[in-house]
Every structure is written in structure tokens, then in C-alpha cells.
């Protein structure tokens, strides 16, 4: 029987992978009741959070690492099953591939503690690691990549000797926006972006702009609003947009979590989706299937991103001098009720 993983613990304790990580990395940030539940689940499963002991007698630790920003929603209790998050799906893919290659996986999720705590938690404990988005400062990455293989997932290309993974953000958003314009006849569209330093958010906004330009519609220079990729951020962005008056016919969110927050605000304000306003997201997290109306989105291969990151790390460990590789994975259009398409039949 294979060793239990962090995902197994999260599933049994009904919390997110990020919450399990916080229990072991910074337990004071987790409510006592939730922390106890996670520790009981880990004990029952026989879960060991770090593979350090395997490498004490050799230079190899037998462990790969993943650093990702903890986009936990401040409005949500730890008891909520947040296993639908983007980073969780990537983690599942990495765990699967790591087991296939004979490695354990160490995860470090941080937002408030900053990059220094991530560097400290990972350095010396792994054979290589993947970094999601801008979790670690460029200068810290530069230093760490001199000692260990590093794969960037959806991050900047500021360090040219790193392997890099991304999805077709621009093309995916272009196709989604064109669908709203051409198939649903919408003309007033508002884009809700992420942080200005997010390469993914910038590429998605560029795809949105290209679709408007191709349709001879006014092209904004900046997103109509910005959020922080959480449901709370989506709620706040939607409130700001609606408070301006003359609401758009569609809100195009840079990710699914913000789109789900936007759906909540629209419902509370008595607006019907999609009759009064269409809403679309990006990512394809499982929660988008169960909200009502179900969320139209651009689905990216999140687990495949994790699996490919591990494959690249293992390749680099076997051949440290090979040329860096950049891969762009395709996305798919998932059309559901929130844009005005028919509700998909139950599976």
C-alpha cells in the first residue's frame, strides 16, 4: 500500500492542503479544533510530513518541494472544504508523479509570512522544487537555483536558466471573450484582473483585449477592477463595479475563485445570472461545477502542470547541464450556465 499523502490527510480532515501545511509549518495560525482534527487524521493514516530522514545518510533527500502562495479566503472558516483550489489540484498532480518516480513531496504554502519563511522551510530539505507564481522573490530564486533544480509554474521569466511551465492564458481568454461576443451578442464586458505582478493575469487580460479589438469594440487599457484571486477579492471587485452604475453585460474574471465570489454578490443584489449579467472564470476548479448557476470557465490542466513539473525536475536531476525548457500546456473551453449556455446534463 502506498504511503499516505498530504492530500489524503486534507480529504480525511475535510480541509485544504494549505491548511494541512499550516498545521505543520505554523500551527499557531490554525484554529485549535481544526489543528487537532488534522493531526488526528494524520495519525490515523500514518502520514509523515517530511521525508528528511530518508536522506540523512546521503546527499539525496528523496524529496521534491512545491512552494505556492496560500490564497486562503479570509471570509471562509478552516472547516470549509477548500479542496477545490487551483494549487491543490497542482499538488495532486505533483504527488502522483513524485510517487511514480520514487520521491516524496514537501509543500510550503505562504502568503503572510513572506518568501523568507518559504526559503527557510525548503532549503536543504529537497532535491529540487517547483515554485508556483511569484511565491519566492527573484533574488532568492536565483540563489536557490544555483544549488537545486527549480521549475517555475505560471511565474515570470526573469531567470532564463530555469525550466518554465505555463498554460495558454492569452489564447484561452481570447476564445472565451469571443464566445461571449459572437455567440451571446454581449458588447459591454468588464475584466476583473488579478495582481499587477501576475504574468497569468496579464496574459489573460491581453487575450480579453485582443478579442474586443477583433470585434471592433472599445478596448480598455486596464482591467475594470482587480482582486487578489480569492472569493473575497471577487466579491469586493464585483461590488465596486456595480456601485459605479451602468453595469456591464458580462464580468470576465481572471480566475474561478473570484468569479464565484462575484456570483455571490450578484445573487445578493438581486441580479440574475446570466439573464442580467453573464459571469465567466478561468482555471476549471471543481467548485465551478456545483455553484448555481454552474460556472463557465477556461479549464487548464492543473494536475498535468504538477505532473510535468515533477518530470522536468527528475530530468534535471539526471542531466543537470541540459538546456532549460519552456512548455505551454493547452487549455479548453468549459461552457456552462453562467454565460447563457445550456446547463450541462448531470454526469
Amino acid at each position: 500500500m502506498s504511503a499516505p499523502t498530504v492530500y489524503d490527510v486534507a480529504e480525511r480532515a475535510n480541509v485544504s492542503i494549505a491548511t494541512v501545511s499550516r498545521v505543520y509549518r505554523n500551527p499557531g495560525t490554525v484554529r485549535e479544533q481544526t489543528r487537532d482534527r488534522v493531526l488526528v487524521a494524520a495519525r490515523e493514516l500514518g502520514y509523515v510530513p517530511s521525508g528528511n530522514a530518508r536522506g540523512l545518510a546521503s546527499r539525496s533527500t528523496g524529496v521534491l518541494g512545491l512552494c505556492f502562495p496560500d490564497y486562503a479566503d479570509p471570509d471562509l472558516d478552516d472547516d470549509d472544504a477548500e479542496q477545490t483550489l487551483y494549487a491543490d489540484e497542482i499538488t495532486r498532480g505533483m504527488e502522483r508523479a513524485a510517487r511514480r518516480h520514487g520521491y516524496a513531496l514537501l509543500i510550503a504554502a505562504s502568503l503572510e509570512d513572506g518568501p523568507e519563511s518559504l526559503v527557510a522551510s525548503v532549503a536543504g530539505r529537497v532535491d529540487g522544487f517547483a515554485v508556483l507564481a511569484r511565491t519566492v522573490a527573484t533574488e532568492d530564486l536565483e540563489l536557490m537555483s544555483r544549488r537545486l533544480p527549480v521549475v517555475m509554474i505560471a511565474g515570470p521569466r526573469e531567470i532564463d536558466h530555469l525550466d518554465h511551465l505555463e498554460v495558454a492564458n492569452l489564447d484561452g481568454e481570447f476564445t472565451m471573450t469571443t464566445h461571449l461576443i459572437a455567440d451571446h451578442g454581449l458588447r459591454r464586458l468588464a475584466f476583473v484582473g488579478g495582481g499587477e505582478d501576475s504574468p497569468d493575469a496579464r496574459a489573460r487580460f491581453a487575450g480579453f483585449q485582443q478579442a474586443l479589438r477583433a470585434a471592433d469594440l472599445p478596448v480598455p487599457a486596464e482591467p475594470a477592477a482587480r482582486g487578489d484571486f480569492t472569493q473575497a477579492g471577487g466579491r469586493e471587485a464585483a461590488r465596486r463595479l456595480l456601485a459605479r452604475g451602468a453595469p456591464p453585460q458580462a464580468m470576465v474574471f481572471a480566475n474561478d475563485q473570484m468569479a464565484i465570489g462575484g456570483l455571490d454578490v450578484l445573487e445578493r443584489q438581486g441580479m440574475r445570472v446570466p439573464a442580467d449579467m453573464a459571469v465567466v472564470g478561468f482555471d476549471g476548479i471543481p467548485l465551478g461545477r456545483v455553484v448555481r448557476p454552474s460556472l463557465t470557465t477556461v479549464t487548464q490542466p492543473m494536475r498535468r502542470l504538477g505532473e510535468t513539473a515533477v518530470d522536468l525536475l527528475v530530468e534535471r536531476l539526471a542531466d543537470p547541464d541540459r538546456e532549460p525548457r519552456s512548455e505551454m500546456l493547452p487549455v479548453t473551453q468549459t461552457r456552462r450556465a453562467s454565460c447563457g449556455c445550456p446547463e450541462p446534463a448531470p454526469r
Side-chain angles (χ1 to χ4, degrees):
M1 191 170 84
S2 60
T5 68
V6 65
Y7 189 84
D8 297 325
V9 176
E11 190 167 43
R12 175 167 292 203
N14 200 32
V15 298
S16 72
I17 290 175
T19 298
V20 176
S21 174
R22 288 199 299 272
V23 166
Y24 286 101
R25 179 178 52 80
N26 197 0
T29 65
V30 182
R31 290 193 320 150
E32 182 178 2
Q33 181 182 9
T34 303
R35 186 170 66 244
D36 290 346
R37 195 166 74 243
V38 169
L39 293 174
V40 168
R43 215 165 29 244
E44 291 173 349
L45 292 167
Y47 170 71
V48 179
S50 173
N52 282 14
R54 293 175 50 183
L56 292 179
S58 68
R59 293 180 62 187
S60 173
T61 65
V63 181
L64 300 177
L66 169 64
C67 300
F68 64 86
D70 179 8
Y71 289 131
D73 265 297
D75 290 352
L76 294 175
D77 190 280
D78 280 323
D79 291 339
D80 288 301
E82 283 292 289
Q83 296 150 356
T84 57
L85 299 181
Y86 167 71
D88 283 7
E89 293 296 304
I90 291 178
T91 302
R92 292 188 72 176
M94 284 197 70
E95 285 183 321
R96 178 187 301 170
R99 285 198 302 268
R100 187 170 67 244
H101 288 289
Y103 284 88
L105 182 67
L106 172 68
I107 66 169
S110 177
L111 188 60
E112 294 179 355
D113 295 342
E116 295 80 7
S117 64
L118 277 177
V119 172
S121 70
V122 171
R125 302 172 67 185
V126 298
D127 295 334
F129 67 99
V131 177
L132 178 59
R134 285 187 175 271
T135 318
V136 180
T138 301
E139 48 274 23
D140 291 320
L141 272 180
E142 181 70 53
L143 288 173
M144 295 182 76
S145 65
R146 295 174 187 172
R147 298 163 42 201
L148 296 170
V150 176
V151 174
M152 286 295 304
I153 304 176
R157 295 176 176 270
E158 296 166 1
I159 306 176
D160 57 12
H161 61 265
L162 300 185
D163 293 327
H164 190 276
L165 277 175
E166 62 182 326
V167 301
N169 290 294
L170 189 151
D171 291 346
E173 200 68 90
F174 174 86
T175 302
M176 176 59 72
T177 305
T178 299
H179 167 64
L180 296 175
I181 297 168
D183 298 337
H184 294 291
L186 305 180
R187 293 293 181 268
R188 299 192 314 279
L189 285 69
F191 188 85
V192 180
E196 294 185 39
D197 63 346
S198 167
D200 279 357
R202 288 200 303 269
R204 292 167 194 175
F205 182 55
F208 174 81
Q209 290 175 306
Q210 285 191 14
L212 294 182
R213 192 173 295 114
D216 291 325
L217 294 174
V219 180
E222 295 290 336
R226 293 186 186 274
D228 60 0
F229 291 119
T230 66
Q231 291 181 35
R235 291 187 192 98
E236 180 57 32
R239 290 189 192 103
R240 291 198 303 270
L241 277 174
L242 294 175
R244 295 173 189 171
Q249 294 173 305
M251 289 188 188
V252 179
F253 287 87
N255 79 333
D256 285 351
Q257 283 182 260
M258 290 198 297
I260 291 167
L263 286 174
D264 179 56
V265 168
L266 292 171
E267 180 182 14
R268 291 173 184 272
Q269 296 201 13
M271 297 190 71
R272 300 166 301 160
V273 177
D276 298 326
M277 186 180 302
V279 173
V280 299
F282 200 114
D283 283 341
I285 62 174
L287 186 57
R289 293 196 303 263
V290 299
V291 294
R292 288 292 174 265
S294 56
L295 182 65
T296 291
T297 187
V298 180
T299 298
Q300 56 173 310
M302 293 173 281
R303 294 192 195 180
R304 187 177 161 199
L305 276 171
E307 292 172 349
T308 306
V310 169
D311 292 342
L312 289 173
L313 286 174
V314 172
E315 286 179 19
R316 176 69 65 184
L317 287 166
D319 183 8
D321 297 323
R322 73 159 170 78
E323 289 295 311
R325 283 171 48 191
S326 292
E327 294 194 18
M328 180 180 288
L329 303 185
V331 296
T332 57
Q333 303 289 308
T334 303
R335 296 172 181 175
R336 300 191 179 112
S338 70
C339 70
C341 285
E343 187 81 44
R347 294 187 184 187

